[in-house]
Amino acid sequence: MSRTPYEWEDRLVALLLRHAAEGEAIHEKLARLVDILEAEEKALGRVTGKAPEKEGEQRYDHRLIEQHIPDGASVLDLGCGAGTLLSRLIQEKRVRGQGVEIDNAKVLECVANGVPVFQTNLDHGLGMFPDQSFDFVVLEKTVQTLNRPLPVLQEMVRVGKQGIVTFPNFGHWQMRLDLALNGRMPVTRAFPYEWYESPNIRPLTLNDFDACVQCQGMRIVEGHAVVGNTVRPLEPDDNLFAEEVMLIIEKAA
Amino acid sequence: MLDVNWARTVFPPGALDDPASVGLTSAHTVTLADENSPFRLDTGEFIAPVDVEYETYGTLSAARDNVVLVVHALSGDAHVAGWDYDAIQTGRKWRLRKPGWWDTVVGPGKPLDTRRYFLICANVLGSCYGTTGPGSPNPRTGQPYGLSFPMVTVGDWVNLQARLLDHLGIERILAVVGGSLGGQQVIEWMMAYPDRVEKAIVLAASAKLSAQGLAFNAVGRQTIMSDPNFNGGNYYGGPVPAQGLSAARMLAHITYLSDAAMDMKFGRRYRNKTKPDFDFGIEFEVESYLAYQGQSFVERFDANSYLYITRAMDYYDAAERWGGGNLVEACSRVTADTMVVSFSSDWLYPPAQCRELAAAFCQCGKPVTYIEVPSSYGHDAFLVETEIVGKLLADFLARERKR
């Protein structure tokens, strides 16, 4: 049984109707909360069910990362997939690029895409890369899939001058409501898997990450959020409104 | 020049009509060192004359920029693909039944595409396929060298290949490709001649052989040298140390397979029977297979060559040669785009050791591609997993150089 994103809305309405008589007060409040959240997000430009980029367009996160990386920089992409990002960076920005990927099929695609790739498991460490040997170390939508994410984050700021981390934000209000009201693990655009097949074994929120990097001796120096169909610099309430985030991290001085 | 009609009568039916085959081949032999310009070996000794047998496939481009040097493994030769027109004349009759050792990836439209690349493969010094070796006459005595042949190294092989390229007027090569002991020659190439190599592909090989590998080679040589016919290496013209060489090959062959591969292929099945005979003849399928491998090897290989080549394999240590024992230092010499491919069930050059080579590139800040191909075929996988290896070769060669 699979659920489509935002199905929780219908369920919530049904739930509210069923219980309207007995618990009016609290459900009216809940309904009002959803109205408020939706209005808030609409004001931020949300279009339900639509990806931040249209089909065939470059992924928004790649666009963001590209904007951040200057010509001729060196980039290590952890969990680089088929090497799409690095391939562009190598061609457009003449970066010295190195990918790291575990998947057998994807490393072959990297070779086909002309991207140097080192096949390894991130959870086994990055000992082969010396300190500060890259300008940027990218970890795209991967941190939530790692067995031991903390050593990887530490390695990122050891190997790179800056780390670029993107992940889906489990703190988004839809996730919270879906879990709270349906009592099921949320299935949304950003978290599209059922619990039993999800690679996202460590779902985390923006605030979780923020707290974590602080106690790991790192800091977030810059951030962007996907809110509805817009991508914009991070704002204070984004733990509630960001579907995905892109964060630049550094070792704290 | 080549009599195709005659050739049709000696090769398997249809072999010469396969559009993806390079077809008939004929090796070249060139004298690359004579008394006036002897070839200096790693040991400091000089050797002359030195003949090299090599084959080429495809056409050299006008800009001379499409050369792919293929380097062969322990028991390999210069006959990489196609059907050897000279097989009868040279007494290499097994070549009438089988095309070259890498025919699966070399040919028109194949991964090492002979319509696009000019491929060269030379038989190594010390071997027994036309390049000077222990079976060649020692100019001082007129008799075969035998064990008076000087010790040769992987470095010597590569230096000699470089001399062959000089002879052919080729300065830079697009790529050098090889597996196993061939892979170690690739490593030597990229370190010894960084200015001459654009891309390097190392299959199932690491920067040095492990203690376990040394041990297997030692036992192999011991079986040869303790054969009653060995006679200190002076067996040419008489009975050859067939038992010893055969046993050495059987032992080595085990290291080319894997537990799983042997189990899959033979299991514990008896040979042509369902019950044992309770004797020391060939009882099991796996025994029969190894015996066949041993015997057919004796037909086509020289025991002394086996000694010299396994010794060269033992001695090779890229870190020692080029980095004072430090592999990262050695890799810092390399400018070629490099791809290292290991195979999960290979226990002769295990993935962890191949990975160490690739990791050394990372350690000196050089982009590198390292792939661990899942395979149950053991070390042989580099020759057997043709689909995946072929794709890697084709894609890696085709990509534009980005640095």
Side-chain angles (χ1 to χ4, degrees):
Chain A
M1 176 185 63
S2 70
R3 287 167 283 165
T4 53
Y6 309 109
E7 198 185 328
W8 68 271
E9 288 169 282
D10 299 336
R11 285 164 187 248
L12 181 61
V13 171
L15 187 78
L16 289 174
L17 286 176
R18 221 174 327 131
H19 295 276
E22 44 199 279
E24 231 169 34
I26 186 161
H27 289 106
E28 271 169 12
K29 277 181 190 163
L30 267 177
R32 240 197 334 276
L33 173 63
V34 174
D35 284 346
I36 292 165
L37 287 167
E38 283 199 321
E40 192 77 12
E41 199 173 72
K42 258 179 200 138
L44 294 166
R46 169 175 166 253
V47 178
T48 304
K50 209 167 176 192
E53 63 268 19
K54 293 195 188 80
E55 205 154 319
E57 274 178 21
Q58 197 195 351
R59 279 171 51 172
Y60 82 91
D61 46 351
H62 287 184
R63 208 168 55 228
L64 270 184
I65 292 170
E66 254 177 63
Q67 280 164 13
H68 188 75
I69 290 174
D71 273 28
S74 52
V75 180
L76 177 64
D77 189 354
L78 305 179
C80 65
T84 324
L85 172 68
L86 276 180
S87 171
R88 268 190 69 96
L89 288 172
I90 291 169
Q91 272 162 28
E92 309 284 319
K93 300 220 162 181
R94 295 173 300 282
V95 306
R96 169 168 68 85
Q98 174 74 55
V100 171
E101 175 59 50
I102 187 173
D103 184 81
N104 291 316
K106 285 177 184 159
V107 293
L108 297 187
E109 288 181 60
C110 284
V111 176
N113 288 331
V115 171
V117 63
F118 197 106
Q119 186 171 18
T120 187
N121 185 336
L122 286 180
D123 278 324
H124 296 168
L126 296 172
M128 62 286 226
F129 298 107
D131 294 358
Q132 302 291 291
S133 53
F134 287 91
D135 296 321
F136 303 97
V137 181
V138 178
L139 187 67
E140 251 189 307
K141 294 184 185 168
T142 302
V143 67
Q144 78 284 358
T145 68
L146 296 172
N147 248 320
R148 298 168 63 230
L150 294 188
V152 174
L153 292 174
Q154 286 292 356
E155 285 287 78
M156 286 180 76
V157 293
R158 175 186 69 81
V159 170
K161 297 185 178 85
Q162 285 193 328
I164 304 179
V165 186
T166 75
F167 60 89
N169 173 28
F170 208 79
H172 187 257
W173 63 274
Q174 287 172 2
M175 316 290 279
R176 300 190 200 189
L177 282 178
D178 200 10
L179 183 57
L181 298 174
N182 286 327
R184 300 277 307 269
M185 286 302 283
V187 175
T188 66
R189 181 170 72 189
F191 284 89
Y193 304 98
E194 288 287 356
W195 65 273
Y196 46 79
E197 61 190 6
S198 178
N200 304 322
I201 58 170
R202 304 206 184 282
L204 74 163
T205 71
L206 172 57
N207 285 1
D208 285 332
F209 188 81
D210 191 28
C212 168
V213 294
Q214 281 188 37
C215 69
Q216 291 291 308
M218 303 170 210
R219 63 195 184 97
I220 296 173
V221 292
E222 200 184 313
H224 279 80
V226 177
V227 177
N229 68 346
T230 62
V231 180
R232 54 148 177 73
L234 217 54
E235 281 178 26
D237 277 341
D238 279 347
N239 195 41
L240 194 58
F241 290 110
E243 241 182 290
E244 284 177 27
V245 289
M246 184 203 96
L247 307 167
I248 315 280
I249 57 170
E250 279 180 6
K251 242 179 206 161
Chain B
M1 222 164 52
L2 300 183
D3 184 348
V4 179
N5 287 330
W6 169 80
R8 278 185 204 287
T9 65
V10 299
F11 291 110
L16 301 183
D17 302 313
D18 177 2
S21 166
V22 299
L24 288 174
T25 67
S26 182
H28 311 273
T29 304
V30 58
T31 303
L32 290 178
D34 56 25
E35 301 74 53
N36 301 322
S37 62
F39 184 69
R40 189 180 195 281
L41 299 165
D42 265 343
T43 57
E45 282 182 76
F46 287 87
I47 180 173
V50 176
D51 290 345
V52 171
E53 177 169 317
Y54 67 98
E55 290 195 15
T56 69
Y57 316 90
T59 310
L60 182 61
S61 65
R64 295 172 177 256
D65 59 357
N66 67 335
V67 177
V68 175
L69 182 68
V70 177
V71 271
H72 69 75
L74 203 173
S75 61
D77 51 36
H79 184 49
V80 179
W83 301 91
D84 180 8
Y85 185 80
D86 309 314
I88 293 175
Q89 194 194 324
T90 53
R92 299 168 187 165
K93 290 195 177 146
W94 61 91
R95 289 188 183 171
L96 295 176
R97 302 189 300 267
K98 277 195 289 188
W101 58 270
W102 223 6
D103 197 72
T104 45
V105 301
V106 173
K110 288 183 183 170
L112 296 179
D113 192 342
T114 48
R115 291 175 307 201
R116 187 165 175 186
Y117 304 115
F118 181 62
L119 275 68
I120 304 171
C121 183
N123 187 226
V124 300
L125 188 63
S127 186
C128 49
Y129 292 113
T131 295
T132 302
S136 309
N138 181 340
R140 278 202 301 265
T141 62
Q143 297 302 307
Y145 276 104
L147 294 192
S148 72
F149 192 74
M151 202 57 86
V152 293
T153 67
V154 171
D156 292 331
W157 296 342
V158 166
N159 287 336
L160 192 55
Q161 287 155 11
R163 210 182 256 215
L164 174 63
L165 294 185
D166 293 342
H167 164 77
L168 296 173
I170 293 159
E171 176 50 34
R172 268 177 82 78
I173 53 178
L174 174 65
V176 53
V177 184
S180 190
L181 188 51
Q184 294 195 305
Q185 292 173 68
V186 175
I187 299 169
E188 178 64 14
W189 255 105
M190 62 198 190
M191 291 179 183
Y193 297 98
D195 298 339
R196 299 186 75 165
V197 184
E198 277 189 39
K199 298 177 186 188
I201 303 176
V202 179
L203 305 173
S206 57
K208 59 173 186 263
L209 189 64
S210 65
Q212 182 178 257
L214 296 176
F216 280 117
N217 278 349
V219 177
R221 282 190 300 270
Q222 207 55 52
T223 63
I224 290 171
M225 293 190 290
S226 54
D227 185 301
N229 291 336
F230 182 63
N231 191 30
N234 299 315
Y235 51 77
Y236 299 105
V240 300
Q243 290 296 330
L245 181 59
S246 171
R249 178 62 169 180
M250 287 169 74
L251 174 74
H253 209 87
I254 299 169
T255 70
Y256 305 153
L257 304 176
S258 73
D259 189 21
M262 281 184 135
D263 199 48
M264 213 155 49
K265 206 164 172 179
F266 314 108
R268 289 183 47 84
R269 281 197 310 282
Y270 290 108
R271 173 70 180 162
N272 295 335
K273 55 194 169 195
T274 53
K275 281 185 296 195
D277 291 334
F278 296 108
D279 62 20
F280 294 108
I282 286 178
E283 293 274 80
F284 293 96
E285 279 286 2
V286 65
E287 285 183 283
S288 159
Y289 172 79
L290 286 178
Y292 171 78
Q293 289 297 331
Q295 279 152 21
S296 55
F297 192 59
V298 169
E299 267 178 54
R300 71 173 183 91
F301 215 79
D302 176 48
N304 283 331
S305 286
Y306 196 83
L307 300 182
Y308 279 92
I309 295 174
T310 56
R311 232 348 168 198
M313 184 180 178
D314 289 354
Y315 286 136
Y316 191 66
D317 182 343
E320 199 62 53
R321 262 181 94 73
W322 297 106
N326 182 338
L327 188 58
V328 179
E329 183 75 31
C331 285
S332 67
R333 305 174 52 81
V334 178
T335 56
D337 277 347
T338 304
M339 175 163 74
V340 179
V341 182
S342 72
F343 299 87
S344 59
S345 56
D346 185 349
W347 54 293
L348 189 57
Y349 288 104
Q353 288 166 29
C354 303
R355 181 192 155 105
E356 204 178 293
L357 171 67
F361 281 81
C362 299
Q363 266 148 17
C364 53
K366 292 180 192 297
V368 69
T369 290
Y370 170 68
I371 311 273
E372 187 182 319
V373 175
S375 171
S376 62
Y377 288 107
H379 183 60
D380 259 357
F382 88 88
L383 290 171
V384 181
E385 297 282 3
T386 48
E387 196 179 324
I388 200 158
V389 168
K391 179 169 165 49
L392 285 169
L393 292 174
D395 288 345
F396 193 77
L397 286 186
R399 84 187 195 191
E400 291 292 312
R401 194 171 158 82
K402 304 238 170 62
R403 278 181 293 136

